[in-house]
Amino acid sequence: MTKTKGSQKTETVKTTARTSKVIKPRVEISSSESEMEEENGYVKLEKSMKKLFQDFKKEIKKELRDFEESLNFSNGKLDDIIKKMGSIQNVLNTMSEKQEKLENENKMLKTKVQELECSMEELQQYTRNKNIQIDGVPKQPNENLKEIVKTIGNKIDVPIKEEDIDAIHRIPTRSTNNPEPIVVQFLTRQMKEGVIQKAKSARLSTNDINVHVPIGLDRPIYVNDHLTRQRKEIMFQARQMKTERNYKFLWTRNGKIFIRKDERSVVINLNTKEDLKKIV
């Protein structure tokens, strides 16, 4: 059977309809849309970055405020410490001034004490200005000290009467080898000085005063000023230094001690132990 044109047309339409259902249309994106999407991404990223930066900035500001508060607090504490340090320094300065004042007062007191000691020493020595001390006279049973002194006076050509003697006695000594010294107090200073002057050039010994000593054991007798204990110690040390340092002269006069290197040297007055340092 032959198909008509109308049927062919109908079939063609059906075929076309089936074909249109299978083939999907192709969607194309324009370049302008792609640029818009990319720009939107940048905008979002920029917003995120801004938000992060703002948050970071807020955090930094907060930390700076906290640090500033802490610094102000520390500065306040530091000011308090500095004020306290200043107060402590003032206290230390005051204490230092007081200490210096006390040290100066202590020095003054020491000087005054030394002056008083010297004055006392001079006074003690002055009370001995009529006294002589005789060393080297052996102690005898039932001895008559006044007769011994009168015998010494006859030997040195200075007549001594019993009434010229105000007091006479032996004094203790720490020496176990030497007899106790004899101290004589005359009525006048002139008598005392005359006896000492003549006795120094006479070179007295036990044979000159008629005391009993074993044969061959004759001993020298010394007549000197009656010195205070302190001046005796000075004299003892000076005598040792005289030998050690080859000094030629050492003597006493009116209770004062003098030493001299030789005839051309200056005379050194030994009033205190400190003066011994002058012996060089």
Side-chain angles (χ1 to χ4, degrees):
M1 182 166 113
T2 306
K3 296 180 181 180
T4 63
K5 290 181 182 180
S7 62
Q8 290 177 353
K9 185 177 178 180
T10 302
E11 186 177 357
T12 301
V13 171
K14 290 180 180 179
T15 304
T16 304
R18 287 194 300 268
T19 304
S20 63
K21 290 180 181 179
V22 175
I23 299 173
K24 295 179 180 181
R26 183 178 180 182
V27 179
E28 293 183 0
I29 300 174
S30 65
S31 60
S32 60
E33 291 177 348
S34 176
E35 289 176 357
M36 287 181 63
E37 290 179 357
E38 184 175 358
E39 185 176 352
N40 290 335
Y42 283 133
V43 170
K44 290 180 180 180
L45 179 61
E46 184 178 0
K47 288 181 179 181
S48 298
M49 292 295 293
K50 284 182 178 181
K51 187 176 184 305
L52 287 173
F53 180 74
Q54 289 174 352
D55 293 341
F56 178 73
K57 188 176 180 181
K58 289 179 181 179
E59 186 68 24
I60 289 296
K61 285 183 177 181
K62 182 179 181 302
E63 290 185 2
L64 285 174
R65 283 196 302 271
D66 294 341
F67 176 74
E68 186 176 0
E69 291 176 359
S70 176
L71 184 61
N72 292 333
F73 177 79
S74 298
N75 287 337
K77 289 291 184 182
L78 184 59
D79 290 339
D80 292 339
I81 292 173
I82 291 173
K83 289 179 181 178
K84 290 180 180 179
M85 290 288 290
S87 300
I88 293 172
Q89 187 63 44
N90 291 335
V91 172
L92 291 175
N93 291 337
T94 303
M95 291 178 65
S96 178
E97 291 174 359
K98 288 183 178 179
Q99 182 179 359
E100 185 178 358
K101 183 178 179 181
L102 288 173
E103 287 177 353
N104 292 332
E105 289 178 355
N106 188 35
K107 289 179 181 178
M108 291 175 62
L109 287 173
K110 283 184 176 180
T111 302
K112 288 183 178 180
V113 168
Q114 289 176 352
E115 291 175 353
L116 287 173
E117 288 177 347
C118 289
S119 298
M120 183 65 69
E121 177 68 20
E122 289 290 339
L123 180 60
Q124 289 179 358
Q125 188 60 55
Y126 180 77
T127 62
R128 293 165 166 80
N129 67 348
K130 299 175 184 177
N131 296 6
I132 63 170
Q133 179 172 319
I134 305 172
D135 293 281
V137 178
K139 193 171 184 178
Q140 304 288 323
N142 302 317
E143 62 185 1
N144 188 328
L145 297 180
K146 287 186 177 180
E147 287 298 324
I148 292 174
V149 173
K150 288 163 65 176
T151 302
I152 291 175
N154 293 331
K155 185 65 179 180
I156 61 176
D157 295 327
V158 178
I160 300 174
K161 299 176 184 179
E162 191 166 335
E163 55 266 27
D164 292 328
I165 301 173
D166 189 31
I168 184 169
H169 58 274
R170 287 187 183 267
I171 58 175
T173 178
R174 290 177 290 181
S175 175
T176 57
N177 299 322
N178 300 314
E180 294 177 344
I182 299 172
V183 171
V184 184
Q185 184 178 59
F186 293 104
L187 287 175
T188 64
R189 185 174 176 179
Q190 290 76 9
M191 175 65 74
K192 168 247 185 179
E193 291 176 353
V195 171
I196 290 178
Q197 184 178 0
K198 288 292 188 72
K200 285 184 177 180
S201 58
R203 296 184 179 275
L204 294 168
S205 69
T206 52
N207 287 336
D208 298 320
I209 59 175
N210 300 321
V211 295
H212 299 288
V213 294
I215 298 174
L217 296 180
D218 186 32
R219 301 181 58 165
I221 293 175
Y222 303 99
V223 180
N224 294 296
D225 280 300
H226 180 210
L227 301 176
T228 62
R229 177 175 295 181
Q230 179 174 317
R231 298 197 183 193
K232 285 179 182 178
E233 293 176 358
I234 295 173
M235 188 67 175
F236 177 76
Q237 294 183 42
R239 191 177 290 114
Q240 289 181 322
M241 298 175 73
K242 171 180 177 287
T243 302
E244 293 171 357
R245 303 181 185 184
N246 297 320
Y247 272 66
K248 193 172 181 180
F249 305 105
L250 175 64
W251 71 97
T252 63
R253 186 174 65 245
N254 297 328
K256 298 184 183 297
I257 305 171
F258 302 94
I259 192 169
R260 192 177 187 184
K261 182 80 171 178
D262 51 42
E263 293 83 356
R264 295 172 295 178
S265 303
V266 296
V267 176
I268 301 173
N269 189 0
L270 303 176
N271 287 322
T272 65
K273 290 184 179 180
E274 287 293 316
D275 292 331
L276 292 168
K277 296 179 182 179
K278 300 175 183 178
I279 305 175
V280 294

